Amino acid sequence: MPRPAHPATRRDTPVTDWEDLVTTALLGTDRRPPTTGPGREAPAALLDEAAVATVRRRAGLCPAPPAQRPEPAPEDRRPALPAAAARRLAMLLADRPGAGTGGRRGTSPDLVELLPQWLAAADARGFAAPPESLPALLDAARGRTDLRPAVLAFAGPRALWLARLNQDWRFALRAAPGGGTALPDPEDADAVRRLWQEGLFAERVALLATLRARTPEAARELLAESWATERAEDRLMFLDSLRTGLAAADEPFLELALSDRSRNVRTTAAELLSALPGSALAGRMAVRAGACVAVDHTGDGPVLVVEAPPECDPGMERDGVVARPPAGRGERSWWLGQLVEAAPLAGWSARLGGRTPREVVALPVADGWQGELHAAWCRAAVRQRDAEWARALLGAPAAPEAGGPGAVSLAERAKLLGTLAGAERADWVAGFIAAHGLSEAFQLLGMCAVPWPAPLGRAVVDALNIARDAGSYPWSFSGVMGLAERCLDPAEAGRLDALLAIPDEREDAAPGAGGYWAEAFQRLVTTLKLRATMLTELDGTH
């Protein structure tokens, strides 16, 4: 008597490859009918065969070796946020850019723009981020690069732990020193040398920055050892780290870098040397620039005369002067600007008759060279952080030229302001606004510390009030109004109550301007009060 067929080989349960089943499903059972038993419809038979094949495939799989469990997240020993501040953080993170309906903003605060300020305040107080907020914090930093430093400082080591588990958050590892890896103790010379010789590029950059902040000479010596074997792009990044703690002891190494085969490296080395007033390069540039500028006493009064260099010789090129000018610039004026920018500002007084920076800037310049000469002095004042020359070039904030003879653009004025102390900077901008209004003040306001000092805050509010009363287009001041929401001292909120009423509109005013201004001031007051509440929540006094 014959033995019965094995179930797996019987006609009603055929052995079918999974690929054949998929092909039949794609073509359709009418075009490619499956093997079916008596009285069975083709679609049902196909599904039965797929079910059997699925069980067979699963049963035949060997269990994979278990993956290694990730190490537990590191502990964050910083104090936890007060409960009210944690709830506020959740509200700020829940708000998303573009969630509004467009058009007018209404009177509600822009929570997205308050998040950076909240993070800065939380970081200043040393709080740890709530663990449940870390994904939202990393998502926010992923979408806004300006948030990343504050978010990573607040989120702490657990954020880096999470970032290793999610490709979307890998930016956090790139932004963290050494890619989020622990750096050796700078006192451990063997570990430092081993990481410098064997580490990844990000780790080496972080190591160099750490050493430079603590022992600048050790960082320089480490870099000098491997300098000849580094790639050009790496040499440029490493050289840039010498800006921290730049000192006269760095000059010999930077002089060697002036002969580097990479033009970008040579330019950076020359820039660093020119920031050292006592360096040999600064002395060479002083001689070259001094030969181009002199005082002429033959006329009715002293006049500065300029004779631009006739050529860019090899010595100038080695010292960082770029020979080829950009499109639209003359060669000689291009070379002159670079020489004056790199020359020590302290030497001009002796070369120009003992005059102070303010007296030098006040001298007329012959033959149309004033703009080029003063612009170069502006760049030199910023590079050398010379506040006295910056004041001279800025001039009085109420000057008719709206920024002084040397400040040729708003960007240049803003950079010059960066050399002044915070209080002096704010006072200058307040005087500028009082004299010239807000039409050119936006970039200058961005240079002032937050919260704005009281004189600057009053100048901004008064100028906004004047613009409203004059019937100006309100949307022309939306940028300044947004800055005021973030930068005005919250204590100023009480002074703004008088501005909340809708003013009587002038005949020449923009239609609906009065209502817009009232709405904008209401939003300003509401935002200031919310900022004050945020601070009390972080202090645990709410």
Side-chain angles (χ1 to χ4, degrees):
M1 181 177 177
R3 297 177 62 185
H6 190 276
T9 61
R10 290 173 55 186
R11 179 68 177 170
D12 56 346
T13 58
V15 178
T16 309
D17 289 339
W18 182 257
E19 291 76 9
D20 291 341
L21 294 174
V22 173
T23 302
T24 301
L26 291 173
L27 294 175
T29 55
D30 291 338
R31 297 178 61 186
R32 183 173 177 173
T35 303
T36 60
R40 300 175 68 195
E41 295 183 357
L46 178 64
L47 294 176
D48 287 344
E49 290 186 21
V52 172
T54 299
V55 172
R56 184 181 296 114
R57 293 174 73 206
R58 290 177 177 174
L61 288 177
C62 294
Q68 184 177 3
R69 284 189 174 187
E71 293 293 328
E75 186 178 358
D76 195 336
R77 298 182 179 276
R78 295 175 296 176
L81 278 174
R87 290 192 295 270
R88 180 69 62 192
L89 174 62
M91 291 174 58
L92 296 176
L93 291 171
D95 203 64
R96 288 289 182 268
T101 57
R104 291 167 68 155
R105 286 176 50 196
T107 60
S108 300
D110 187 349
L111 299 184
V112 172
E113 293 303 323
L114 290 180
L115 180 58
Q117 196 167 105
W118 188 97
L119 289 168
D123 285 339
R125 288 160 174 77
F127 287 121
E132 65 273 12
S133 72
L134 293 177
L137 282 166
L138 288 168
D139 281 340
R142 180 190 177 199
R144 287 184 58 177
T145 56
D146 63 304
L147 284 178
R148 290 180 183 179
V151 163
L152 294 179
F154 177 59
R158 290 180 173 178
L160 300 179
W161 180 87
L162 271 180
R164 295 188 182 94
L165 305 177
N166 187 334
Q167 288 286 348
D168 291 343
W169 298 333
R170 287 301 175 95
F171 70 86
L173 300 179
R174 294 191 297 269
T181 59
L183 296 176
D185 188 336
E187 303 298 330
D188 188 346
D190 292 338
V192 166
R193 191 168 301 279
R194 184 165 55 252
L195 181 60
W196 179 251
Q197 294 173 350
E198 303 173 3
L200 300 174
F201 176 69
E203 294 172 333
R204 300 178 74 209
V205 171
L207 176 64
L208 195 63
T210 302
L211 286 175
R212 189 66 182 176
R214 295 183 57 175
T215 53
E217 63 283 354
R220 184 184 63 251
E221 291 170 2
L222 197 66
L223 179 57
E225 289 179 6
S226 62
W227 180 256
T229 61
E230 304 288 354
R231 300 183 306 166
E233 55 268 32
D234 294 351
R235 292 199 304 274
L236 182 62
M237 288 288 292
F238 292 146
L239 191 64
D240 200 61
S241 70
L242 299 186
R243 297 182 190 276
T244 301
L246 183 66
D250 298 319
E251 184 180 355
F253 176 76
L254 293 174
E255 276 284 344
L256 290 175
L258 287 177
S259 302
D260 196 88
R261 55 187 179 273
S262 167
R263 188 182 71 176
N264 290 333
V265 172
R266 294 196 303 270
T267 301
T268 301
E271 180 188 345
L272 292 173
L273 283 168
S274 67
L276 295 171
S279 68
L281 179 139
R284 295 192 295 269
M285 288 299 196
V287 172
R288 293 174 181 134
C292 297
V293 182
V295 181
D296 182 5
H297 294 280
T298 60
D300 294 335
V303 175
L304 288 179
V305 292
V306 175
E307 181 64 32
E311 63 175 348
C312 183
D313 58 48
M316 289 168 58
E317 288 196 65
R318 183 183 182 276
D319 285 346
V321 175
V322 179
R324 187 173 180 178
R329 288 290 301 274
E331 285 184 334
R332 298 184 67 192
S333 64
W334 171 245
W335 301 331
L336 172 74
Q338 294 179 80
L339 295 180
V340 174
E341 178 181 355
L345 289 166
W348 286 108
S349 177
R351 291 179 179 274
L352 300 177
R355 291 176 172 85
T356 66
R358 196 175 299 276
E359 292 170 338
V360 170
V361 171
L363 288 173
V365 184
D367 301 326
W369 283 102
Q370 176 170 308
E372 187 69 48
L373 181 61
H374 285 190
W377 276 334
C378 284
R379 296 192 298 272
V382 173
R383 179 185 293 189
Q384 299 172 35
R385 310 297 298 173
D386 193 311
E388 185 179 6
W389 271 88
R391 295 186 193 100
L393 292 161
L394 279 168
E401 293 169 339
V408 294
S409 67
L410 282 173
E412 203 70 51
R413 295 172 205 161
K415 292 177 182 178
L416 288 170
L417 283 171
T419 67
L420 306 181
E424 184 180 1
R425 191 183 314 171
D427 287 343
W428 195 95
V429 177
F432 180 93
I433 292 172
H436 305 287
L438 291 168
S439 59
E440 294 187 346
F442 182 81
Q443 196 166 3
L444 304 179
L445 285 168
M447 297 299 298
C448 299
V450 179
W452 290 335
L456 178 57
R458 285 194 294 269
V460 171
V461 172
D462 290 345
L464 288 170
N465 194 22
I466 291 171
R468 180 189 67 162
D469 292 344
S472 301
Y473 287 100
W475 42 89
S476 301
F477 300 92
S478 59
V480 174
M481 188 66 78
L483 269 182
E485 292 172 16
R486 300 189 295 274
C487 302
L488 266 178
D489 192 328
E492 297 289 315
R495 296 183 57 249
L496 303 176
D497 290 339
L499 304 176
L500 302 181
I502 299 178
D504 297 331
E505 292 192 2
R506 298 166 35 146
E507 293 183 0
D508 57 346
Y516 181 97
W517 278 110
E519 187 178 272
F521 279 121
Q522 178 63 62
R523 182 174 62 249
L524 176 58
V525 171
T526 304
T527 303
L528 293 178
K529 291 180 178 178
L530 176 57
R531 285 174 53 208
T533 301
M534 284 166 37
L535 295 177
T536 60
E537 290 169 348
L538 285 167
D539 290 333
T541 59
H542 182 62

